[in-house]
Amino acid sequence: MTRITLEEPRAAGYPVVKRTALGQTFNGAVLKAEPRDRLKRGDDGNMTPIVKPNGKHAQELVVTCLTLPDTTAPAGLGDDESVPEPGSIVRLILKGKAFGDWIEAKKALPNGAVAVGDVVTQTTATAQVYDAQGNASGGEVTDQAAVDQARAKGRSVGIYGPLTLRAPKDGSEWFDKAVAAYRSLQAPIPAEAPASTGGFGVADDDDEPPF
């Protein structure tokens, strides 16, 4: 019997979807969604929950997803990031307005509930520059060159955009892959495609995504 002591470090989690530039898109098939407390590092170096003015802990939503085609947003852990391949498992972390967008978007789903394989799409459309004290500086930015200039000056920049949720297409192979990934949650599901398409799934004449 192998003993796992409490002092042993845990394996790193799945890569986290990043918002690094305007015009990025993440498409994912939902595998699970779990709320958790938002944390901040205290003066003593320990991570503690963020407490709202009403005394409650601020929450964020961790959505584990199977990456779908046409994703351009990078994902990673720390500074190691790249655009995830279709079929790989990543985490989409939603907080603040993005969490609120999720709550609002799921109202349009059957019974108002998110199910395995539902498609979440997040795009980056606007940015906000912040000063050294964390206060917003100027209005919303929609030009990537302005974002790059602010970063070159050492300014902090937040990048934001809309989030949508919808049920998967009937007969989607990506729904089947999502169900398989949900049941295992151990390894990416290979995105195999017929040789005749040269891509993932059967190409539609109207260029709609196969999910």
Side-chain angles (χ1 to χ4, degrees):
M1 179 178 66
T2 301
R3 285 174 50 79
I4 302 177
T5 65
L6 295 179
E7 289 75 22
E8 289 188 19
R10 295 187 302 172
Y14 291 112
V16 175
V17 177
K18 312 281 188 176
R19 297 187 299 273
T20 60
L22 299 177
Q24 294 174 336
T25 298
F26 172 73
N27 296 308
V30 176
L31 304 182
K32 63 179 181 178
E34 300 171 304
R36 69 182 184 187
D37 286 346
R38 291 180 60 185
L39 303 176
K40 65 177 180 180
R41 190 174 301 279
D43 295 337
D44 58 0
N46 294 320
M47 302 300 290
T48 59
I50 296 175
V51 180
K52 298 189 292 186
N54 62 7
K56 295 182 179 180
H57 289 182
Q59 296 271 291
E60 62 187 11
L61 190 68
V62 181
V63 186
T64 304
C65 299
L66 189 76
T67 305
L68 296 174
D70 298 329
T71 288
T72 60
L77 296 172
D79 294 330
D80 182 16
E81 60 184 46
S82 60
V83 176
E85 293 291 330
S88 59
I89 297 177
V90 298
R91 291 176 294 162
L92 181 66
I93 300 179
L94 306 176
K95 61 188 72 175
K97 184 178 183 302
F99 196 168
D101 288 345
W102 169 279
I103 293 172
E104 189 65 27
K106 73 177 186 178
K107 294 178 181 179
L109 295 172
N111 300 318
V114 181
V116 171
D118 283 348
V119 177
V120 56
T121 295
Q122 186 178 54
T123 58
T124 55
T126 62
Q128 177 65 59
V129 179
Y130 296 92
D131 61 23
Q133 288 71 44
N135 300 313
S137 176
E140 287 187 342
V141 177
T142 57
D143 176 41
Q144 183 60 40
V147 172
D148 295 339
Q149 290 174 3
R151 285 174 170 164
K153 295 177 181 178
R155 308 291 291 277
S156 176
V157 180
I159 296 181
Y160 309 100
L163 178 146
T164 63
L165 273 169
R166 64 171 173 82
K169 290 183 176 180
D170 290 339
S172 167
E173 65 172 308
W174 288 100
F175 171 75
D176 295 335
K177 293 179 187 294
V179 171
Y182 168 76
R183 289 173 175 166
S184 65
L185 282 182
Q186 294 178 354
I189 305 301
E192 297 176 350
S196 61
T197 67
F200 300 99
V202 179
D204 295 329
D205 291 338
D206 56 5
D207 292 327
E208 288 189 1
F211 50 85

